[in-house]
Amino acid sequence: MSQTRFIIMPLILATGLAACGQPADTAENKNAATAENSTVTEDVAAPATGNAADATTATKVATTTSVSAPETPETPPARVQAAVVTVLPLKRGYYVASDTPCGQASNATTTLLRREGIGGARDFCEFKKIEQTGPNTFRVTEACGDLQENAPPETSVTTYTLKGDTAFTSKSASGWEHSARYCTQSSMPPDWRANDISDVTR
């Protein structure tokens, strides 16, 4: 009888230990599975309907890596091709500063537009190259010199904006700006009316 008791006790002890270890192992596995599931579905809201199909869709969304569309470089604006022309489409003759009446013109406010260039009493700018850059804008490469000095002319670029064929605004690369309009020779002061400019304006 005593031997039977000794045999039964170890069996009961082993059974008890096994029973105690099983729930702990199961709980540990459950915690690991829960942590793994929470990582996968971290950014996905639970489906409202609770359907299996919705849950599958949510899982696919959660495990799909989003790929951004490749950025494409901006296309630079097309450059307008400047057309080279032979002359400025302006009426040739005297041009007086826009804020000065034709009858009150002076050497300081008057220029003479010729076929090959434009100038006043002291200076002259020869047109070396004329490019049309817009419906009424022209980029002109000029060689300008002082008529009373022996210094060689200086080359610069001036933009002319025309108003019809009888007025313009010129702006140099340095920012200097001048506006003038055509004045008939008969409307000018006596000193200009007597000049014969037909040879340079034809």
Side-chain angles (χ1 to χ4, degrees):
M1 180 67 182
S2 57
Q3 291 181 353
T4 303
R5 289 176 58 188
F6 287 121
I7 294 173
I8 292 173
M9 287 300 293
L11 290 176
I12 293 174
L13 182 59
T15 303
L17 290 175
C20 292
Q22 183 64 33
D25 182 54
T26 302
E28 182 178 351
N29 290 341
K30 285 184 179 179
N31 289 338
T34 302
E36 182 178 357
N37 290 338
S38 63
T39 301
V40 173
T41 59
E42 182 178 4
D43 297 326
V44 179
T49 58
N51 293 335
D54 292 339
T56 302
T57 303
T59 303
K60 287 182 179 179
V61 172
T63 56
T64 300
T65 303
S66 60
V67 179
S68 301
E71 295 184 3
T72 56
E74 294 184 3
T75 303
R79 296 185 63 182
V80 178
Q81 186 69 31
V84 177
V85 297
T86 56
V87 295
L88 280 177
L90 285 169
K91 200 168 186 176
R92 295 188 197 104
Y94 288 117
Y95 281 78
V96 178
S98 299
D99 58 354
T100 302
C102 294
Q104 298 177 19
S106 64
N107 285 339
T109 60
T110 303
T111 54
L112 177 61
L113 177 64
R114 312 178 187 188
R115 179 182 179 84
E116 71 275 9
I118 190 170
R122 289 181 54 92
D123 57 358
F124 179 72
C125 293
E126 182 182 359
F127 298 153
K128 293 295 187 179
K129 186 179 181 180
I130 303 173
E131 300 171 280
Q132 184 170 2
T133 58
N136 62 338
T137 56
F138 296 82
R139 182 171 58 234
V140 181
T141 302
E142 302 175 323
C144 300
D146 193 320
L147 298 176
Q148 299 179 8
E149 294 181 2
N150 293 325
E154 295 182 0
T155 302
S156 60
V157 176
T158 301
T159 299
Y160 285 80
T161 303
L162 277 52
K163 297 179 182 178
D165 63 351
T166 58
F168 68 85
T169 296
S170 59
K171 187 174 183 179
S172 67
S174 61
W176 182 82
E177 192 169 319
H178 173 66
S179 295
R181 86 300 193 186
Y182 176 77
C183 287
T184 60
Q185 194 170 3
S186 61
S187 67
M188 299 285 288
D191 290 343
W192 284 270
R193 276 184 276 172
N195 292 337
D196 183 6
I197 59 173
S198 59
D199 60 331
V200 296
T201 57
R202 282 198 295 264

